[in-house]
Amino acid sequence: MVERKLRVTLITGRTIDQGVGKELGKGSQEYFDNVAVCFLDSGDIKKLGLKNGMNVQVTSQFGSVVVKAKKYPHGAMSGIVFIPCGIWANVICSSETDSIGMPTFRGFEVEVEPAPDKPVLTLDELLKQEFGK
């Protein structure tokens, strides 16, 4: 049965591919391709009726962003979505630090749903949408 939305736990973090892209510049295609993504368990991809590389919308209580869905390459992680650190992850994370000096980047619930007709915004487009600049 294909589900319309899936509730999962968000984890963010650094990746080697993200670091390579960052070295080429945050405006580079390589950075975009490696950061404007979310990694899902193969079973969760099937539940949503997705194909690898399909656009999905990830929504939290803090915001919503469209990214490319990819199958997590390192084994099973059902119920978890991983998004590399960057503005695409920041849009759905809280900026509140709860007096510890560090925002919450992981361990909270998000919804993932197919978004084949919605574009993944570029860095410039996302900055303009979020900050009007």
Side-chain angles (χ1 to χ4, degrees):
M1 180 175 123
V2 174
E3 297 184 34
R4 187 141 171 79
K5 291 183 182 181
L6 190 62
R7 289 185 174 277
V8 293
T9 301
L10 175 70
I11 304 293
T12 67
R14 305 271 179 218
T15 68
I16 291 172
D17 293 333
Q18 171 202 18
V20 170
K22 190 174 174 184
E23 288 298 314
L24 296 171
K26 288 187 177 182
S28 71
Q29 187 65 45
E30 185 144 356
Y31 182 77
F32 176 81
D33 291 343
N34 289 299
V35 181
V37 299
C38 72
F39 293 93
L40 294 155
D41 179 75
S42 60
D44 291 340
I45 286 176
K46 282 184 184 177
K47 284 180 189 175
L48 288 168
L50 300 173
K51 292 181 180 169
N52 202 41
M54 194 172 176
N55 290 2
V56 293
Q57 186 163 345
V58 182
T59 303
S60 73
Q61 63 183 347
F62 311 110
S64 188
V65 70
V66 176
V67 291
K68 295 275 183 203
K70 291 188 177 183
K71 179 184 172 279
Y72 185 67
H74 304 293
M77 58 176 223
S78 181
I80 294 176
V81 61
F82 175 85
I83 299 180
C85 290
I87 188 166
W88 293 269
N90 291 352
V91 167
I92 57 174
C93 292
S94 173
S95 60
E96 181 58 48
T97 64
D98 296 317
S99 299
I100 62 168
M102 190 72 171
T104 303
F105 289 119
R106 59 183 57 94
F108 57 91
E109 189 175 87
V110 297
E111 282 186 346
V112 179
E113 61 187 304
D117 298 328
K118 294 182 180 180
V120 177
L121 299 180
T122 65
L123 177 67
D124 289 342
E125 291 168 334
L126 197 52
L127 285 169
K128 186 167 187 123
Q129 175 186 291
E130 293 300 308
F131 303 106
K133 296 180 183 180

